[in-house]
Amino acid sequence: MISPEQIRQDFPILFQEVNDEPLVYLDNAATTQKPKQVLATMTHYYSANNANVHRGVHTLAERATHDYEAAREKVRRFLNAQETAEIIFTRGTTTSLNWVAQSYGDTFVKAGDEIVISYMEHHSNIIPWQQLAKRTGAILKYMELTEEGFLDLEHAASIITEKTKIVSVAHASNVLGVINPIQELATIVHEKGGILVVDGAQSAPHIKIDVQSLDCDFFAFSGHKMCATTGTGVLYGKRKWLEQMEPVEFGGEMIDFVGLQDSTWKELPWKFEAGTPNIAGVIALGAAIDYLESIGLAGIHQYEAELVGYVLPKLQAIEGLTIYGPKDPAHRTGVISFNLENLHPHDVATALDMEGVAVRAGHHCAQPLLKYLGVAATARASFYLYNTKADADRLVQAILATKEFFQHGAI
C-alpha cells in the first residue's frame, strides 16, 4: 500500500506556496518532480565521478562507465527486454521515435507502403511518420477511436493490410488518459507482416511494462516524466531490427574504424549513441528506476486509479464541466482533461494557478486529436504517486471557485 504522505517527503519542491497558496502540482503528464534520491545521484556524479564514458582508463572514467552501463541494465530489467543490446539511450521519446522513422523507416519503407497511426497521437508520434511518408511516397493512415476514446480495434483490423509496414501508437494517451490494448494490436500488426512501434511516454512512469509480453518491436519513453531528468530517454528495439538499421547520428564512441572513404560502427547498442551522452542524466534515470521499483509499479498504478476513482465523480458532478476520455477509472491513467463551459482553458488554468493548483492548458501537442474531439484546447490535471486525495479536493474546490468567479465576479 502506497503512503503518499511518506513519498512526498522525498520531493522537497512540493513544500512551497504559489500565489500565497500551498502548491498542488497536477502537471505530471508534462513532467514529474524529482525525488531527493535522484537529485543526490546527480550531485554525487558531478562531485565524485565526473568523467567521460567508454574511452578513459583512469579511475573516474571507469566509475562513470560502470554506473552508466549499470543504468542500462536497470532499464533492461524495468522493460523486461531480453538483453542490454536492445536498450539505446536517447534524449527522450521524441528523439527515439524520430530515429525509428529515419533509420528503420528509410531502410524498409518504399512508395506505396502504408504507415498507420491513430488520431490520439502526440505530435512527436505524428510528424516523424508524416516526414517519412513524404520522403518515401508511403501512405499515412489513421485509426479511428471509440466514443470513449479507446483505439477502435475493429477499424484497426480493417485498415492494417499487407501493405502496412509500420504501426505506431501511444500506449497511454496524454489527453484522454486511455490505456491502449497493445498486445491485441501487436497480433493484428504482425499477422499482416508489419512492425509495431509504441510511444510509452505516458505509460512507463505509471504501469509495469513488459516489452516481451507486449510483443512490440520498438518502445520509447522519456526519463523526465518518471522522476528522472530532462534530456534522457530510451529506445527499446528488438535485436533483429536494430542490427539491420543504420545509425542516425555519427561521431564519438559509436565508431569502430574510420577510413578515408568509409567507416564501420561498434556493436549494439553503442552504434546508435554518438557523441558524449547525458551521462549524469542516464545514471539518474537508473536511480529513478530504483526509486519507482522500490515502491512498485503495480502499487503506483493501483494508487493512481484510486485517486482518479475518488476525484472523477466529484468533477463529473460539477455542472458545465466536460470531461474527456473513459468514464471508468479502471481504464485510464491519472490524466483528466476537461473544459469548463464558456471559459477558455487558459483562463481556467490561470485561475487555478491563483489557487495554487498547477494544471496544463492548451492543445497538449495533440492538435489532430482535439480537432477529432471538436475542441481547440482543454485544461488537463494529471496525477502521480505523490498526489493525495487532499490535492484532488483542492482541484475540485479551485474549479468551483473559478466557476463562481467568472459567473458572479467574486469568490
Side-chain angles (χ1 to χ4, degrees):
M1 179 69 72
I2 280 184
S3 170
E5 294 299 341
Q6 183 176 347
I7 289 172
R8 288 173 68 83
Q9 300 305 312
D10 295 328
F11 295 84
I13 196 171
L14 298 175
F15 295 92
Q16 62 174 295
E17 291 190 347
V18 171
N19 296 318
D20 298 323
E21 298 286 349
L23 171 65
V24 174
Y25 185 79
L26 297 176
D27 194 18
N28 296 290
T31 195
T32 61
Q33 301 303 339
K34 323 304 178 193
K36 290 187 290 189
Q37 294 84 342
V38 169
L39 299 176
T41 298
M42 293 281 288
T43 300
H44 178 73
Y45 168 75
Y46 280 121
S47 60
N49 293 335
N50 181 42
N52 216 323
V53 293
H54 299 140
R55 59 193 73 179
V57 295
H58 58 82
T59 299
L60 293 190
E62 289 185 351
R63 286 183 196 160
T65 301
H66 173 273
D67 291 350
Y68 184 85
E69 291 303 324
R72 198 187 308 273
E73 167 57 23
K74 292 176 184 178
V75 173
R76 185 209 62 76
R77 188 186 68 231
F78 183 70
L79 296 178
N80 192 32
Q82 287 191 336
E83 51 181 325
T84 53
E86 297 177 323
I87 305 299
I88 300 163
F89 290 123
T90 71
R91 293 188 294 275
T93 305
T94 299
T95 302
S96 300
L97 294 171
N98 272 275
W99 283 9
V100 176
Q102 292 174 42
S103 183
Y104 182 93
D106 287 351
T107 302
F108 291 100
V109 176
K110 63 183 186 304
D113 287 341
E114 297 170 350
I115 304 163
V116 176
I117 59 178
S118 84
Y119 285 101
M120 77 171 66
E121 303 310 315
H122 188 282
H123 292 168
S124 295
N125 199 28
I126 297 175
I127 299 170
W129 308 115
Q130 289 177 344
Q131 295 298 309
L132 175 61
K134 289 179 180 178
R135 289 195 303 273
T136 61
I139 300 164
L140 183 60
K141 299 164 68 175
Y142 283 80
M143 279 181 268
E144 301 277 353
L145 309 181
T146 66
E147 188 174 340
E148 284 202 302
F150 294 102
L151 282 183
D152 186 336
L153 289 182
E154 287 189 15
H155 184 253
S158 71
I159 67 167
I160 295 172
T161 72
E162 284 76 9
K163 292 183 178 180
T164 304
K165 291 295 183 290
I166 298 173
V167 175
S168 187
V169 297
H171 196 177
S173 168
N174 70 321
V175 176
L176 302 172
V178 299
I179 301 173
N180 286 318
I182 297 300
Q183 286 173 304
E184 292 88 336
L185 186 61
T187 300
I188 295 171
V189 174
H190 291 150
E191 283 178 352
K192 299 296 185 181
I195 65 152
L196 179 61
V197 182
V198 177
D199 172 357
Q202 298 294 336
S203 64
H206 305 282
I207 60 179
K208 176 60 183 166
I209 303 298
D210 184 335
V211 291
Q212 295 188 67
S213 176
L214 292 174
D215 196 23
C216 53
D217 296 277
F218 295 94
F219 187 97
F221 69 92
S222 297
H224 74 96
K225 295 181 190 292
M226 48 179 286
C227 296
T229 67
T230 55
T232 59
V234 168
L235 172 62
Y236 156 82
K238 289 180 178 175
R239 175 186 272 273
K240 65 179 180 179
W241 301 127
L242 294 175
E243 285 183 335
Q244 299 178 66
M245 292 161 54
E246 284 292 301
V248 175
E249 297 178 343
F250 303 90
E253 287 302 301
M254 56 79 65
I255 291 166
D256 178 36
F257 178 79
V258 176
L260 291 179
Q261 301 298 329
D262 203 359
S263 302
T264 58
W265 325 130
K266 279 190 174 171
E267 60 186 5
L268 291 173
W270 302 289
K271 78 172 185 178
F272 290 102
E273 296 179 1
T276 296
N278 183 352
I279 302 166
V282 165
I283 295 171
L285 172 59
I289 288 174
D290 287 341
Y291 183 80
L292 294 177
E293 289 185 335
S294 71
I295 297 167
L297 269 297
I300 290 171
H301 180 47
Q302 182 181 2
Y303 176 67
E304 290 177 4
E306 181 183 327
L307 265 182
V308 172
Y310 174 79
V311 72
L312 208 52
K314 295 175 182 284
L315 293 173
Q316 289 165 336
I318 298 176
E319 189 177 349
L321 192 79
T322 301
I323 299 172
Y324 303 93
K327 294 180 175 59
D328 185 348
H331 296 302
R332 60 189 309 157
T333 64
V335 169
I336 302 175
S337 290
F338 59 91
N339 271 322
L340 197 52
E341 189 176 25
N342 298 325
L343 286 179
H344 192 283
H346 282 162
D347 292 333
V348 173
T350 301
L352 295 184
D353 183 55
M354 296 304 295
E355 300 289 322
V357 179
V359 300
R360 186 70 166 262
H363 55 61
H364 313 297
C365 300
Q367 288 175 316
L369 173 59
L370 294 196
K371 185 177 181 181
Y372 190 86
L373 296 173
V375 295
T378 74
R380 181 187 69 189
S382 48
F383 293 82
Y384 203 30
L385 73 170
Y386 40 67
N387 290 122
T388 64
K389 289 181 179 177
D391 290 343
D393 288 336
R394 286 277 307 282
L395 171 67
V396 173
Q397 292 161 9
I399 292 174
L400 289 171
T402 299
K403 182 181 175 183
E404 178 69 16
F405 175 79
F406 280 99
Q407 283 184 342
H408 304 292
I411 297 176

